[in-house]
Amino acid sequence: LVLLRMPDKFEATARVYVDTKTVLKPLMRDLTVEPDIDQTLLMLSRTLINRPNVELLMQKARLDPPGRPAGERDAVIERLMREIKLSSLGRDNVYTFSYRDTSPERARLIVEHLVALFVQSDLGAKQRDVDAARGFIDQQIKAYEARLSEAENRVKDFKLRNMGVSDASGKDYFTRMSVLTDELNKLNLDLRAAEQAR
């Protein structure tokens, strides 16, 4: 009789590959030893199944009707945080999100929205990384442009200061440099031809 009166429980599960090195990087920044799978699982569940995420999950799954008393709402949040399970499949970084409920639709919605929330948070973190990298690259480009402009101005000033410097044949410095560079290139070609002939 007791078993017949117990309501049916439905379980929804989802398998997710989690790159724990990026998701948990801020938490493991000061650790010198890599945590084992149980510690990784504990840190991951604390990172994913926290109060703000569960509140967002309740809004997305429409589990928070308007006008619900704050105490009842807090009890639902605490229950969800306890009952949403995160477990490892034993394979590298493959985890299972699961939730049991008397309503199969509610169980499916909660797991579905939990996975979507996790994917969105991961994409948001990657987008922030991309934006930070883009900002850094733009900053470096501006710095290099300023340095290049400064170097070009120094070359121009040098040429203007040394315009009149010439040798006994009347050629200025830049003409001599051009002639010598051409001669050097010609001698390098002759050297290569001689080495190949030898």
Side-chain angles (χ1 to χ4, degrees):
L1 289 174
V2 172
L3 287 176
L4 288 175
R5 287 177 181 241
M6 286 178 65
D8 291 337
K9 288 268 188 172
F10 299 91
E11 182 177 61
T13 62
R15 290 183 187 167
V16 180
Y17 172 80
V18 180
D19 188 0
T20 53
K21 296 218 184 309
T22 57
V23 172
L24 300 176
K25 190 191 298 182
L27 298 175
M28 298 191 311
R29 180 177 52 232
D30 298 327
L31 297 179
T32 55
V33 179
E34 285 277 327
D36 66 2
I37 189 118
D38 294 330
Q39 291 172 326
T40 304
L41 193 61
L42 183 64
M43 282 192 279
L44 189 60
S45 72
R46 285 184 183 165
T47 303
L48 296 178
I49 306 170
N50 54 31
R51 188 175 181 94
N53 283 351
V54 170
E55 287 176 352
L56 192 58
L57 183 66
M58 284 176 59
Q59 289 173 0
K60 288 186 175 219
R62 293 186 289 281
L63 298 175
D64 192 15
R68 174 183 275 177
E72 189 179 320
R73 185 174 188 274
D74 289 342
V76 170
I77 291 171
E78 291 297 324
R79 184 176 58 83
L80 281 173
M81 287 175 66
R82 271 194 323 272
E83 293 180 358
I84 294 173
K85 302 292 183 204
L86 177 64
S87 58
S88 173
L89 289 179
R91 286 180 274 170
D92 290 338
N93 298 337
V94 177
Y95 296 93
T96 302
F97 296 117
S98 62
Y99 178 70
R100 285 184 184 175
D101 200 285
T102 54
S103 163
E105 184 63 20
R106 192 166 45 225
R108 184 190 63 80
L109 275 175
I110 286 176
V111 171
E112 184 179 302
H113 287 296
L114 182 64
V115 170
L117 182 70
F118 172 69
V119 169
Q120 285 175 349
S121 68
D122 191 40
L123 289 175
K126 286 182 178 166
Q127 185 61 43
R128 284 192 297 275
D129 290 346
V130 167
D131 291 343
R134 184 175 290 135
F136 174 75
I137 290 171
D138 289 343
Q139 184 181 6
Q140 290 296 310
I141 287 172
K142 286 178 186 171
Y144 283 129
E145 283 176 349
R147 287 167 56 186
L148 180 63
S149 175
E150 183 182 320
E152 286 174 346
N153 287 336
R154 284 199 313 262
V155 167
K156 184 173 74 172
D157 291 342
F158 176 79
K159 285 182 176 180
L160 289 174
R161 278 195 317 266
N162 298 308
M163 187 77 75
V165 177
S166 60
D167 64 357
S169 63
K171 295 180 182 172
D172 69 356
Y173 171 78
F174 300 106
T175 307
R176 286 193 330 255
M177 280 299 294
S178 177
V179 169
L180 289 174
T181 303
D182 291 341
E183 283 183 30
L184 180 63
N185 290 338
K186 183 180 176 300
L187 289 173
N188 280 333
L189 286 173
D190 291 344
L191 175 63
R192 264 189 255 134
E195 285 174 346
Q196 287 176 353
R198 185 184 63 176

